[in-house]
Amino acid sequence: MNRRVWDENEAPLPADFKECLGDREWDAHMENTPRPHPTKRMEVTVMESIVYAMGTGGSAGGQGSGMGAIVPLLIMFAIFYFLLIRPQQKKAKEHRAMLSALKKGDRVVSSGGLHGVVTGLADDVVTVEIAPKVRVKISRSAIGGVIRKTES
């Protein structure tokens, strides 16, 4: 009977491989399996594997000074600042300036979509006339924009 011996490059043996073979076939398989050289040490301690994984500090594969990890983070922060944070701050500043410049007679639109004319101003509340003799009070921060300013 010609049996093929398992090669290391093939898929691993199933867990019940020994149970599939009889005792004689298992012994024959174990005889044909290559063994490590008795003088070579095959086991590696945990500490040796950690030291090997860390590598040497001065080699090309080492981490170096740590500045290499900080530079990409600074670049990403700068990109986020100029693309997201700064434009949002600029828009909020323009909105605050628009709210502080509101006066009676301005045509405004609220963030909810109501169009009307400003008829009264208080600290936090704006009275807007949305139809003849129909006035609603809107929070000043809910004003989305000024459609047309009145010339006074």
Side-chain angles (χ1 to χ4, degrees), residues 10-124:
E10 293 178 346
L13 294 173
D16 59 346
F17 182 70
K18 183 177 178 182
E19 296 171 5
C20 295
L21 300 175
D23 288 335
R24 291 174 67 190
E25 285 116 359
W26 178 256
D27 292 339
H29 168 74
M30 294 306 289
E31 283 179 14
N32 295 329
T33 304
R35 301 275 180 240
H37 194 275
T39 60
K40 292 183 180 176
R41 194 169 134 227
M42 296 299 290
E43 62 202 38
V44 177
T45 65
V46 174
M47 186 58 84
E48 288 173 342
S49 63
I50 291 173
V51 169
Y52 178 74
M54 287 174 53
T56 59
S59 70
Q63 290 190 5
S65 67
M67 287 299 290
I70 293 175
V71 171
L73 290 175
L74 292 176
I75 291 171
M76 284 184 1
F77 178 76
I79 290 170
F80 274 104
Y81 179 76
F82 286 111
L83 293 180
L84 298 174
I85 298 170
R86 189 167 177 232
Q88 186 178 11
Q89 287 176 343
K90 186 176 179 183
K91 188 175 180 180
K93 183 178 178 182
E94 289 172 358
H95 189 257
R96 282 192 305 269
M98 183 264 308
L99 290 178
S100 64
L102 275 179
K103 57 184 178 238
K104 289 183 181 180
D106 287 346
R107 288 185 114 335
V108 295
V109 62
S110 71
S111 59
L114 286 177
H115 291 254
V117 178
V118 176
T119 58
L121 294 167
D123 289 339
D124 293 339

Side-chain angles (χ1 to χ4, degrees), residues 23 101 134 136:
D23 288 335
V134 178
V136 292

